[in-house]
Amino acid sequence: MKRALTAIISLSLIFGLAGSSHAQVPVLKSALQEVQKSVGDLLETKDSDELTPEEKEKQEMETRRATLAKVILLAVMEIDDIGAKLDALAHLDDGQKEIRDAHKKKMEEYREYYREVEIKFEKNPNPEEIKGLAADIKNWREETYNSGIRPVINFMFVYQGRQIFGVAEKRLGKIASDVSKLKGKSDKFGELEKLLNQAGTLLEESRAVLNRAEETLWQEINPPVSATSTAIIGGDSGAKPAEETETLSAPEMPDIKDLAKQSLEKIKSAYQIFLKMSRLAK
């Protein structure tokens, strides 16, 4: 029973950490909160002195079953949410679409895993089977899902960022056009132009960070081959060069998620300037 409790608590922690791996929609946040509450109820039951051992065992079993059901539901919702976000990515070139489609296929495979889990759970498993099912899910997520989902999330962050940046860039162009019409006609033109330049600088910085995120993403998708260097064999000046291949240690890659977030923060700051300009122009 203790091992079953440990497995379920570990699963809830895994989902709690995974929740920061991509932007959660409200329904996912709500589901995660329900799982965490169920785990809290489970611990409260376990530590209760008001129940007989038999009552405690029965209540623990019911709560454990309900918690695992919520864990499975949360996992399915997470996979469906990522799949929907991949579908929503627009303006991809052929190479990007190929990677997107490969990620969608991977998400379908993950969804199939949980269909099999759901079938097992619907058979009303006994306490030992619930313990085994929770442990299996925990191990699968640690050994397969967590490493497999990382490139999917990175891809999603980069190309969602591209879409958001595109909208912001168009907004900047429209505002620039409106501001230019005020030249010589409004004493606010100078201040508005200054703010416009600040917003433009922020978006250029956002573009640069996003470009770096995309470059890193594709370096991870297509790692560089081993470098070939030329070395001099022998110590005398007449020695002939010979080529030897060295496997260079790869430089530490920047975190794509952090870069995408930095880009988004700069876009948010640009929009704050847009709002300031709107108030100033009135």
Side-chain angles (χ1 to χ4, degrees):
M1 185 179 297
K2 184 177 180 181
R3 288 174 58 193
L5 179 60
T6 301
I8 291 177
I9 291 174
S10 297
L11 267 177
S12 71
L13 291 173
I14 287 171
F15 277 104
L17 294 172
S20 63
S21 67
H22 65 96
Q24 289 183 337
V25 293
V27 67
L28 271 176
K29 290 181 179 179
S30 176
L32 178 57
Q33 289 168 357
E34 286 187 20
V35 169
Q36 292 168 336
K37 181 180 183 301
S38 293
V39 171
D41 292 342
L42 192 57
L43 292 171
E44 187 175 319
T45 299
K46 182 177 181 297
D47 295 334
S48 175
D49 295 327
E50 299 177 1
L51 301 174
T52 66
E54 292 76 15
E55 291 172 332
K56 185 182 293 188
E57 183 175 352
K58 181 181 178 181
Q59 191 166 327
E60 277 186 18
M61 182 61 203
E62 292 172 352
T63 306
R64 191 178 298 114
R65 188 186 301 276
T67 302
L68 185 55
K70 289 174 183 176
V71 164
I72 295 169
L73 176 62
L74 177 58
V76 171
M77 291 171 63
E78 179 183 57
I79 289 170
D80 289 346
D81 179 59
I82 294 172
K85 284 182 168 67
L86 288 172
D87 281 332
L89 295 178
H91 311 300
L92 302 178
D93 63 27
D94 289 343
Q96 293 159 3
K97 287 178 182 176
E98 184 178 350
I99 299 299
R100 189 270 310 273
D101 291 346
H103 288 329
K104 285 175 61 179
K105 183 178 179 182
K106 181 183 290 185
M107 299 312 299
E108 289 166 5
E109 292 171 356
Y110 292 162
R111 182 64 183 87
E112 182 58 32
Y113 170 83
Y114 278 105
R115 286 192 186 96
E116 295 174 4
V117 168
E118 287 171 323
I119 290 172
K120 293 177 182 178
F121 191 76
E122 287 169 0
K123 293 180 178 178
N124 196 28
N126 61 38
E128 283 300 311
E129 289 169 336
I130 285 181
K131 177 180 70 176
L133 195 54
D136 287 346
I137 296 172
K138 173 179 176 292
N139 292 337
W140 177 80
R141 288 186 70 92
E142 290 177 344
E143 296 170 6
T144 301
Y145 182 83
N146 290 347
S147 59
I149 201 68
R150 181 179 175 276
V152 180
I153 297 300
N154 284 343
F155 184 89
M156 199 168 67
F157 264 114
V158 169
Y159 291 105
Q160 278 184 332
R162 283 286 181 213
Q163 289 183 202
I164 294 169
F165 178 84
V167 173
E169 191 174 39
K170 287 181 180 178
R171 181 65 177 161
L172 177 70
K174 184 179 184 306
I175 293 173
S177 176
D178 292 342
V179 170
S180 68
K181 296 173 184 176
L182 297 176
K183 189 173 183 178
K185 299 179 181 178
S186 172
D187 57 0
K188 297 178 180 178
F189 172 78
E191 182 63 21
L192 288 170
E193 186 179 44
K194 180 181 177 181
L195 290 170
L196 181 67
N197 290 336
Q198 290 175 3
T201 298
L202 282 167
L203 290 188
E204 283 304 312
E205 292 173 353
S206 172
R207 186 204 305 272
V209 175
L210 197 53
N211 285 345
R212 189 179 177 207
E214 187 172 20
E215 289 168 4
T216 304
L217 174 71
W218 284 94
Q219 286 173 6
E220 290 186 354
I221 293 171
N222 301 310
V225 297
S226 300
T228 299
S229 63
T230 300
I232 301 297
I233 307 299
D236 60 285
S237 59
K240 295 181 179 180
E243 286 192 346
E244 60 179 20
T245 301
E246 297 178 349
T247 301
L248 302 179
S249 57
E252 184 175 346
M253 293 285 205
D255 188 285
I256 292 171
K257 182 178 68 175
D258 288 346
L259 291 174
K261 286 183 176 180
Q262 289 175 34
S263 175
L264 184 59
E265 286 302 317
K266 292 180 182 298
I267 292 172
K268 287 180 179 178
S269 296
Y271 269 96
Q272 288 173 355
I273 293 176
F274 293 160
L275 289 173
K276 186 175 181 180
M277 293 176 69
S278 177
R279 291 192 293 268
L280 180 62
K282 290 180 180 179

